Amino acid sequence: MAKIGRNQPCPCGSGKKYKHCCLPMEQAGGVTSPVAQMRVSLLSEIEKIQRAAVDKKERLRELGVFIFFSQDNGDAWVLEVSDSDAVQVAEGGRALDAPVDENPETIEINWSHTFALQDRKLMLTSYQDQKETELAGAPTQQINGAIRRIMKRYSPELLDQVHVRTDETDAAA
């Protein structure tokens, strides 16, 4: 992830400039960087949604550009709104290894699918074989509402800054 400029919007999503939001606290040593906060929060939210899936409870939670949800069949998924990526983190009441690779600068998630809401259905397309399937029982109405709130909360420019693009990725886009 690129260094955050003082005059850029704060990555915490407050809408304030970084210099008027998280930078002073970070410089004072009272708060870790927004990237570190997101990493901790992301892993924490994945663990929470996995526990809900193990208990076969339906839950839905938003964090930044992420939507976490579990179903009463024991499945749980993480959705990333800005690029419509998805990954399963629990299946049949069993937590799966979270595909998160983190370092002090970035958080990388090994997404397995893309997602789309079509005709009140959550459709998943596998990156591996491009197979499209419907995720039965997904809380599509709640997911749609969460997506709209996230898109309203963050500007397109800020959403684009969420991703670190490599030359390879840019060429494919």
Side-chain angles (χ1 to χ4, degrees):
M1 177 174 264
K3 186 175 179 179
I4 303 164
R6 293 173 46 80
N7 290 317
Q8 289 181 311
C10 190
C12 76
S14 67
K16 298 178 184 178
K17 288 185 179 183
Y18 181 54
K19 68 183 177 184
H20 295 298
C21 191
C22 291
L23 179 62
M25 291 184 287
E26 186 178 324
Q27 289 174 331
V31 174
T32 58
S33 73
V35 171
Q37 289 173 346
M38 181 60 80
R39 179 177 62 244
V40 171
S41 297
L42 182 65
L43 291 173
S44 172
E45 287 301 321
I46 289 173
E47 289 171 5
K48 287 177 190 175
I49 208 67
Q50 287 174 324
R51 282 194 301 272
V54 167
D55 293 340
K56 299 195 175 187
K57 295 181 179 175
E58 293 182 6
R59 297 277 191 272
L60 187 131
R61 172 102 166 91
E62 298 170 40
L63 175 68
V65 295
F66 299 101
I67 300 170
F68 306 82
F69 72 93
S70 61
Q71 298 174 272
D72 60 6
N73 66 358
D75 290 354
W77 288 81
V78 177
L79 308 178
E80 194 275 335
V81 173
S82 65
D83 268 359
S84 298
D85 286 317
V87 68
Q88 190 170 14
V89 294
E91 182 176 23
R94 182 178 58 85
L96 303 174
D97 289 334
V100 178
D101 181 25
E102 56 192 36
N103 66 54
E105 295 293 317
T106 61
I107 304 166
E108 231 177 275
I109 300 173
N110 188 15
W111 301 107
S112 58
H113 295 78
T114 60
F115 76 91
L117 293 175
Q118 298 172 352
D119 300 322
R120 298 182 180 169
K121 298 176 186 174
L122 180 62
M123 303 303 293
L124 298 168
T125 303
S126 169
Y127 277 121
Q128 186 175 12
D129 59 11
Q130 297 302 304
K131 182 179 176 185
E132 185 178 69
T133 57
E134 176 189 349
L135 184 59
T140 55
Q141 194 169 17
Q142 292 175 298
I143 291 169
N144 187 41
I147 290 169
R148 293 194 314 171
R149 283 189 296 277
I150 290 167
M151 297 305 278
K152 191 175 185 181
R153 190 178 307 136
Y154 300 105
S155 69
E157 295 80 19
L158 188 57
L159 288 172
D160 192 50
Q161 291 176 10
V162 169
H163 302 280
V164 176
R165 306 281 186 208
T166 62
D167 291 339
E168 192 176 296
T169 305
D170 287 337

